[in-house]
Amino acid sequence: MGKLIIDGIEVEPDPSKTILQVANELGIHIPTLCYHPSLPYYGACRVCIVETIWRGRSTLSTACTFPAWEGEVKTDSEMVRKARKVILELMLAEAPDSPEIMELAREYGIEETRFKVRKERIGNKCIQCALCVRFCRDVLGIGAIGFKNRGYTRELTTPFEIYSDVCTTCGACEFLCPTNAIDLSTISPNKPIPLLSEYEAGLKQRSCINIPFPQAIPNKPVLDRDHCMHFLKDACGVCSTVCGPQAINYDQEEEIVEEDVGAIVVATGYDLYPIINIPEYGGGKYKDVLDGLQFERLLSASGPTAGEVKRPSDGKVPKRVVFISCVGSRDPENHFPYCSKICCMYSAKHAMLYKHKVHDGEAVVFYIDIRSDGKGYEEFVTRAQEEDNVLYIRGKVSKIYKNEKDNLVVMGADTLSGNQIEIECELVVLSMAVRPKEGTNDLVNKLKIQADANGFLTEAHPKLRPVETLTGGFFLAGAAQAPKDIPDTVAQASGAAAKVVSMFSEAEIHKEPVIAAVDAELCSGCQMCIPLCPYDAREFDEKNKIAVVNEGLCEGCGCCISACPSGACQQRNLNDTQILSMIKVALEK
Amino acid sequence: MSNDFKPNIVGFLCNWCTYAAADLAGQSKFDIKPSINVIRVMCSSRIDPNLVLGAFLWGADGVLVAGCHPGDCHYEKGNFYTRRRFTQMKKVLETLNLDPDRLQLAWVSASEGQRYRDVINAFTDKIKEMGPNPLKPNPAV
């Protein structure tokens, strides 16, 4: 068997592949428009045309359909360029207003097509490569779009030229179209719902398969099962066809791993109170009202705008930004009574960073009190005020609305001067209240630990045991216990870790001395106590015909004691006689 | 009933919730009527009905049994036992010619200091209206 020579590079022929695939593997560029690796070859656009030479005879073939047999292939010969030129000129006559085709034509030295452009094609961008039609039908199994008519009147449309009722507005057609000819709003009346990146706090779209954030460990893509068409409709599967190493595995399931552990540190963190709960500040209504985390992403060099401060509604650089502290916190009537602790400092940081990025910008902070209690914190706020000229206004904001210039107007009171003020600005950042992470309550019930009225986890003692819970073996760290900043979290987490280590380093466990005991003389062996015990600490001693207590397992709740009909079962150090004496003393008064 | 009647209530409080709530109420300096004598138990299910009867027979004007909210028991299901036991117990009180309302069951979690205050104050007011325990041993006899 002979060799396959592509542009002078010798490879083994492999008829199961096409010339295009082999060329791509070799890194040889062949232009394509209608080709997609997840679809069977189609050969509609013809721009991938190459010269194939076999036994001295040279012909033109489309690389996307021609098998990689032995012979010679030239991808950029004079003959190929000439043929492509004609193809592109014909394409330009068909789709005269497509910038992508014009760009490709220019690469081949074509400025204008020699063919006549029919007047019904003026403004047309579609080159009828059918990529969208094939993808919708063959990969997604929907078939919301197709062609009508034949020959030179062929046109892309929906069946009967009415809105498609099967279109799921997935947007694949719009995304795939090589000439941007598709407008999804002509196919379906429904608006596509964008998938927003959680990491970018909803300021950027993400795909169904994505690496959650740049430093993710392991740094591998994950599939969003709730939105992936493969899981929803058993269709698509494009990611597995384009993945070279075949790493996509749709059968992978979440697994439950069981581990025996000696201690659990609960460090579930916090959520921000959703902005939508503050309608008077336009939360959820105005795009330019952000929460602190969103603004943090906007400032980040790896963020959705690559570090440029641009407001989400129109991409304009805001010249005045208003920061509002205590939104939802310190508001016992409407929201939460506590102070969220971190907002004063991050507002100051945000205002400073904004001023560093937008030099002619103005930053205004509304505050009730500035709580800068930490090492160097007060100096930091002073620096924001004095060096970066951040304007601090003491007062609460009552309302935010949009004016006719599409800017936001912040209405509030300046409690130092006693005046009502209105500030027109282009972006508002709300310092939303810190809430316990969603699901903390379920965890509390599961672990049998305690939470306070606001849902934050309760420590065993507010001063003397701040990292332990009342339940043995459970420790606390971070904002799950109360709102706290990074230094405090690190300190508490180190404390919790040290507590765990000191617990593990002891040879014996310490238990409360209050546990159940059985008086063998009185026990009738009725076994009433055995099924009651939640810890399986009660067993029946077959030899002596009495119920016994496993002292290692008993936690001392005492539910077996009150169930014992003969009074044989008693709680050591808290028996009935002791309790009765307590009652007696209590009633002697 | 005269206003100077000071009810004497025995409260059996679960160590993990209501006892901590009582602590919290104290730390928060809430106004709580000084009518309750607290007896700490590890779990509300530890309370033998005999102890409640004993308290009434020795003259308690009311008995409060307080534990964790259903489903929140530190020992998984102790408060369910309590709930079942004390619905029965109320019937027993009727046979003793005692108003079953003199025995109250309450669920107060460790974070509910305010609720603890409300429960105690409301129960005290109720007992005040009912008057002293008719079974109270007469010291003169």
Side-chain angles (χ1 to χ4, degrees):
Chain A
M1 206 164 160
K3 294 274 179 196
L4 169 66
I5 304 158
I6 301 182
D7 287 354
I9 304 171
E10 257 192 35
V11 284
E12 280 300 322
D14 179 0
S16 67
K17 290 180 183 164
T18 61
I19 291 175
L20 182 65
Q21 282 168 328
V22 176
N24 280 348
E25 282 165 20
L26 293 173
I28 297 165
H29 174 69
I30 298 174
T32 58
L33 291 170
C34 73
Y35 172 76
H36 191 274
S38 70
L39 284 166
Y41 56 77
Y42 196 65
C45 72
R46 318 303 290 177
V47 291
C48 66
I49 213 151
V50 289
E51 184 183 351
T52 51
I53 305 157
W54 188 59
R55 292 189 182 163
R57 286 177 63 183
S58 157
T59 36
L60 286 169
S61 315
T62 43
C64 70
T65 60
F66 202 82
W69 281 323
E70 61 174 276
E72 200 188 344
V73 174
K74 288 181 181 165
T75 66
D76 207 25
S77 65
E78 191 51 39
M79 187 176 172
V80 170
R81 290 186 71 85
K82 254 186 181 169
R84 276 191 198 151
K85 260 185 183 177
V86 179
I87 290 164
L88 284 166
E89 276 183 281
L90 283 165
M91 222 178 259
L92 265 183
E94 184 67 17
D97 283 295
S98 160
E100 290 78 8
I101 302 294
M102 276 192 239
E103 178 64 38
L104 194 59
R106 222 164 280 140
E107 276 179 38
Y108 286 86
I110 306 161
E111 286 302 326
E112 224 172 291
T113 174
R114 288 171 293 168
F115 300 100
K116 190 187 163 203
V117 180
R118 285 175 297 128
K119 70 170 181 293
E120 62 265 31
R121 287 297 191 227
I122 291 170
N124 178 40
K125 287 178 174 179
C126 176
I127 54 163
Q128 300 181 8
C129 68
L131 189 55
C132 50
V133 178
R134 288 182 290 143
F135 199 87
C136 191
R137 185 189 60 209
D138 300 341
V139 176
L140 299 172
I142 295 170
I145 38 176
F147 288 109
K148 70 166 185 185
N149 302 341
R150 307 174 89 179
Y152 65 87
T153 54
R154 195 178 189 229
E155 242 179 274
L156 181 78
T157 179
T158 51
F160 306 108
E161 295 182 60
I162 53 170
Y163 278 141
S164 167
D165 50 4
V166 291
C167 174
T168 58
T169 61
C170 72
C173 49
E174 226 178 29
F175 175 77
L176 284 172
C177 182
T179 59
N180 280 324
I182 292 186
D183 179 4
L184 199 56
S185 62
T186 61
I187 297 170
S188 171
N190 302 327
K191 285 245 156 33
I193 302 161
L195 268 180
L196 297 176
S197 162
E198 291 81 4
Y199 177 65
E200 300 291 1
L203 293 174
K204 200 179 175 184
Q205 287 194 28
R206 64 159 171 83
S207 59
C208 264
I209 182 163
N210 64 322
I211 296 173
F213 51 96
Q215 288 87 18
I217 295 173
N219 201 352
K220 292 192 173 124
V222 289
L223 275 165
D224 177 359
R225 273 179 179 244
D226 297 336
H227 297 100
C228 172
M229 291 295 278
H230 183 78
F231 291 101
L232 292 179
K233 296 208 179 256
D234 199 18
C236 191
V238 169
C239 48
S240 71
T241 53
V242 297
C243 177
Q246 295 292 303
I248 310 277
N249 178 5
Y250 295 117
D251 300 327
Q252 212 169 30
E253 291 280 339
E254 281 178 64
E255 40 183 319
I256 291 174
V257 182
E258 283 186 24
E259 298 272 2
D260 284 335
V261 295
I264 292 178
V265 180
V266 187
T268 45
Y270 74 97
D271 274 333
L272 283 186
Y273 191 45
I275 205 165
I276 202 147
N277 293 316
I278 317 283
E280 62 270 32
Y281 290 178
K285 188 169 146 202
Y286 302 137
K287 275 188 168 176
D288 296 330
V289 176
L290 304 178
D291 66 27
L293 266 181
Q294 288 177 314
F295 194 66
E296 178 78 31
R297 289 313 301 157
L298 219 51
L299 290 169
S300 166
S302 65
T305 54
E308 261 185 89
V309 183
K310 287 178 179 168
R311 65 180 198 174
S313 64
D314 53 8
K316 234 167 58 179
V317 178
K319 292 294 174 206
R320 188 183 281 145
V321 179
V322 171
F323 298 86
I324 304 172
S325 305
C326 300
V327 185
S329 11
R330 304 183 69 197
D331 187 356
E333 291 85 24
N334 304 313
H335 302 286
F336 309 108
Y338 55 86
C339 164
S340 288
K341 199 149 186 250
I342 56 175
C343 323
C344 287
M345 294 316 294
Y346 80 63
S347 292
K349 178 190 103 172
H350 282 169
M352 260 163 112
L353 284 177
Y354 163 72
K355 290 281 285 187
H356 293 176
K357 297 210 175 209
V358 184
H359 299 296
D360 57 341
E362 214 180 306
V364 182
V365 178
F366 274 91
Y367 69 98
I368 309 180
D369 300 292
I370 302 173
R371 296 191 163 169
S372 51
D373 57 336
K375 195 178 177 185
Y377 287 12
E378 181 60 26
E379 294 91 317
F380 188 83
V381 175
T382 314
R383 208 175 102 201
Q385 290 168 333
E386 289 173 359
E387 284 179 29
D388 291 302
N389 294 321
V390 177
L391 178 63
Y392 272 74
I393 298 176
R394 186 174 181 276
K396 268 207 119 169
V397 172
S398 57
K399 193 182 163 191
I400 294 172
Y401 63 91
K402 215 168 204 178
N403 67 4
E404 67 286 346
K405 280 190 278 178
D406 254 8
N407 285 342
L408 296 160
V409 180
V410 179
M411 269 175 75
D414 180 350
T415 49
L416 290 181
S417 69
N419 291 329
Q420 282 290 326
I421 44 171
E422 285 191 14
I423 297 180
E424 186 180 342
C425 64
E426 281 149 336
L427 192 73
V428 173
V429 182
L430 307 180
S431 297
M432 300 305 296
V434 167
R435 300 283 305 127
K437 190 89 186 162
E438 204 190 326
T440 302
N441 198 28
D442 295 339
L443 196 66
V444 163
N445 292 336
K446 216 174 271 172
L447 302 180
K448 308 278 178 229
I449 54 178
Q450 285 81 30
D452 66 18
N454 296 312
F456 291 106
L457 306 177
T458 311
E459 61 282 4
H461 189 281
K463 288 176 187 142
L464 302 175
R465 294 172 70 196
V467 301
E468 295 150 279
T469 64
L470 280 171
T471 312
F474 292 95
F475 300 88
L476 302 174
Q481 182 244 338
K484 58 173 77 65
D485 60 4
I486 297 169
D488 286 0
T489 297
V490 172
Q492 196 185 17
S494 310
K499 282 277 175 192
V500 171
V501 172
S502 73
M503 188 179 91
F504 283 177
S505 63
E506 282 179 43
E508 290 169 332
I509 55 163
H510 292 263
K511 295 200 82 164
E512 287 271 330
V514 183
I515 53 166
V518 178
D519 186 339
E521 300 285 304
L522 290 177
C523 180
S524 64
C526 71
Q527 302 185 35
M528 195 100 93
C529 48
I530 293 169
L532 289 180
C533 182
Y535 302 100
D536 291 333
R538 305 300 309 254
E539 288 158 9
F540 189 62
D541 181 350
E542 291 288 349
K543 194 175 147 217
N544 297 318
K545 299 281 180 226
I546 56 163
V548 290
V549 179
N550 182 334
E551 292 185 0
L553 290 177
C554 179
E555 286 285 327
C557 68
C559 75
C560 51
I561 290 138
S562 42
C564 181
S566 60
C569 193
Q570 279 304 333
Q571 205 163 15
R572 222 177 261 168
N573 301 308
L574 195 68
N575 59 32
D576 281 358
T577 326
Q578 284 171 307
I579 295 183
L580 283 169
S581 318
M582 285 190 233
I583 298 172
K584 215 165 194 173
V585 172
L587 295 171
E588 265 168 10
K589 282 191 273 179
Chain B
M1 189 46 58
S2 65
N3 275 342
D4 50 315
F5 163 53
K6 287 187 183 136
N8 206 349
I9 297 170
V10 174
F12 293 101
L13 309 189
C14 160
N15 176 52
W16 303 103
C17 49
T18 320
Y19 194 75
D23 233 6
L24 181 65
Q27 277 172 11
S28 317
K29 308 242 184 299
F30 290 140
D31 278 336
I32 301 171
K33 297 198 171 157
S35 54
I36 186 156
N37 296 292
V38 172
I39 294 174
R40 182 179 74 129
V41 287
M42 295 309 282
C43 175
S44 57
S45 69
R46 164 68 181 91
I47 305 151
D48 194 321
N50 280 333
L51 301 173
V52 175
L53 277 183
F56 277 124
L57 291 174
W58 285 334
D61 299 309
V63 172
L64 173 77
V65 173
C68 311
H69 287 275
D72 279 359
C73 179
H74 183 78
Y75 302 109
E76 291 178 34
K77 49 193 177 182
N79 50 3
F80 292 127
Y81 297 144
T82 312
R83 188 165 63 178
R84 221 186 290 171
R85 221 169 257 157
F86 284 93
T87 354
Q88 305 271 332
M89 188 65 198
K90 290 205 167 200
K91 291 203 176 114
V92 178
L93 292 188
E94 279 174 33
T95 65
L96 289 172
N97 204 18
L98 268 178
D99 190 336
D101 284 349
R102 283 187 190 273
L103 169 65
Q104 188 175 348
L105 196 56
W107 312 126
V108 183
S109 82
S111 59
E112 294 176 322
Q114 287 190 3
R115 185 175 151 80
Y116 176 77
R117 175 194 63 189
D118 297 343
V119 164
I120 300 294
N121 288 353
F123 189 47
T124 308
D125 289 345
K126 201 160 88 180
I127 298 292
K128 231 176 182 173
E129 257 175 48
M130 285 182 198
N133 176 0
L135 302 177
K136 199 172 202 158
N138 190 344
V141 180

